[in-house]
Amino acid sequence: MTVLAVMVLVGAGSYLLRLLPLLLADRIRLSPRVERVLADTVLGAIAALIATAVQRLVSGSLSPGLPSVTGYAALGVGTAVALLGGSIGRVAAAGAATIAVVTAATALA
Amino acid sequence: MTITATLHTEQPRQVSPAATAGPHRGDAWSGAVAMLPLLASYAPFGCLVGVAVAQSSSPAAAWTGTWLIFGGTAHLIALQLTAGGAGVIAATVSALAVNARLLLYSATIGPHWRGTRLRTRLVAAATIVDPTWVVASRRFATHPVSAAGRSFYGGASIVLWFGWAGLVTLGMLAGGVIPAGRGLELLAPLCLIAMVAPRARSRDGAACIAGATAVSLAGSSLPSGSALLLAMFAGAAAATAARRWARTDTR
């Protein structure tokens, strides 16, 4: 019962968070400055999610069987591809390929 | 299919002429295709959530969160906290703190729903989450025609809606068979890196990322979701400061 109650409450709250700005879109016009701050806040949220994932990688809870060096290599290559303008698919593919190559090289060594 | 029809056929009632220019099935299809690599990258995470669902004291109730919450991180935190004996209020507040960013996602793409019918917004709101926001915001930035962008969003949402549920269910049913700890869990953060990288090239974007990262790491011992909230505002403050600094520099 507790699990169901939490699912329903979190679901309802999350839906309201998603819905309110759409409902108020006609009534509230944000200034360009406020829109820019909102975009910065979203960017900050995503950066924080990445930081949390890296921290979990360091602590070993993100991918317990993966050596940290392999994880760092994958994130490094992925970041480089992203900074060079790679699409999401290419960044993910580059990271996955790095994991495969480093894992294979480690196994052979 | 209901989602497609609603988002696809309705025209805005009072928006600029550009915003009413022809959405068509091709936009929804493009959105669906754009979502596929993201969905593939989120597959390990979806399976991970599915494993947590299977291990819950009430798997059927936990599985409903796939549709009700429609957000992996908040779903996982809610499950972990309830499994750990946390009360309903503590688990709910923690999960909602993690999902507070959805308010901002919705606010940034919300203007493109101006003038649309209520039911269109009710349906569209259900699927606002990181991957749909990413593809939609990119689309709106490069193709500012709102109606076509909404169709694009609709196509992407349908793929994620059913794809995510499928992944969680797969993890729930076959969690023991899926190899864990092989690094596939890194694919979701890699997608996020691809999303923020373009902004990292500007001074204010880099400041935002640095500020949010620093606060997120420093606040990692805070209660669930608090560090994320603080990091969001720290990032925005850092970006604003960087812009002011740049303006002062140029004077």
Side-chain angles (χ1 to χ4, degrees):
Chain A
M1 198 60 195
T2 304
V3 176
L4 184 61
V6 170
M7 295 300 121
V8 170
L9 287 173
V10 176
S14 300
Y15 183 65
L16 281 178
L17 289 169
R18 292 167 164 129
L19 181 63
L20 280 177
L22 294 188
L23 291 181
L24 297 173
D26 285 325
R27 296 182 188 174
I28 297 176
R29 304 263 165 175
L30 301 175
S31 69
R33 191 176 171 183
V34 173
E35 283 185 355
R36 202 161 48 214
V37 171
L38 275 180
D40 290 337
T41 315
V42 169
L43 181 65
I46 297 172
L49 289 175
I50 296 169
T52 307
V54 173
Q55 200 170 30
R56 289 182 59 215
L57 175 69
V58 172
S59 70
S61 65
L62 180 66
S63 187
L66 187 76
S68 295
V69 66
T70 310
Y72 297 143
L75 289 176
V77 170
T79 304
V81 172
L83 287 172
L84 290 170
S87 64
I88 291 171
R90 281 184 183 170
V91 170
T98 305
I99 292 169
V101 168
V102 175
T103 303
T106 310
L108 289 173
Chain B
M1 294 310 289
T2 310
I3 298 173
T4 315
T6 308
L7 292 178
H8 178 73
T9 55
E10 287 179 6
Q11 297 292 321
R13 276 176 278 153
Q14 40 182 311
V15 290
S16 66
T20 61
H24 49 78
R25 228 168 258 284
D27 294 310
W29 179 251
S30 301
V33 171
M35 181 53 68
L36 288 175
L38 270 169
L39 181 64
S41 300
Y42 272 78
F45 185 46
C47 291
L48 182 72
V49 174
V51 171
V53 165
Q55 290 169 348
S56 164
S57 59
S58 177
W63 186 80
T64 61
T66 310
W67 305 97
L68 293 171
I69 300 174
F70 198 57
T73 310
H75 193 179
L76 202 55
I77 284 173
L79 290 174
Q80 285 170 345
L81 289 176
T82 49
V88 172
I89 293 175
T92 302
V93 170
S94 298
L96 284 177
V98 171
N99 266 358
R101 70 188 189 287
L102 301 179
L103 184 75
L104 298 165
Y105 290 171
S106 180
T108 53
I109 61 173
H112 295 282
W113 269 266
R114 279 184 188 139
T116 57
R117 291 182 185 171
L118 177 62
R119 68 178 180 201
T120 305
R121 300 180 202 204
L122 292 174
V123 172
T127 56
I128 294 175
V129 71
D130 308 74
T132 47
W133 178 82
V134 171
V135 296
S137 59
R138 281 190 172 183
R139 170 74 179 201
F140 285 129
T142 53
H143 302 80
V145 179
S146 290
R150 289 195 299 273
S151 291
F152 184 91
Y153 173 86
S157 294
I158 288 170
V159 169
L160 187 67
W161 183 256
F162 291 107
W164 176 253
L167 290 170
V168 173
T169 307
L170 178 68
M172 183 182 165
L173 298 176
V177 182
I178 298 166
R182 301 284 173 84
L184 295 176
E185 299 84 354
L186 281 172
L187 294 180
L190 281 167
C191 287
L192 297 178
I193 288 172
M195 286 151 53
V196 302
R199 285 286 311 274
R201 294 195 198 103
S202 67
R203 188 188 291 189
D204 58 332
C208 179
I209 292 167
T213 301
V215 171
S216 175
L217 294 176
S220 59
S221 59
L222 292 172
S224 173
S226 318
L228 179 60
L229 284 175
L230 288 174
M232 285 159 54
F233 294 113
T240 305
R243 274 194 292 272
R244 281 193 184 157
W245 195 4
R247 274 200 299 270
T248 313
D249 260 5
T250 53
R251 278 177 194 164

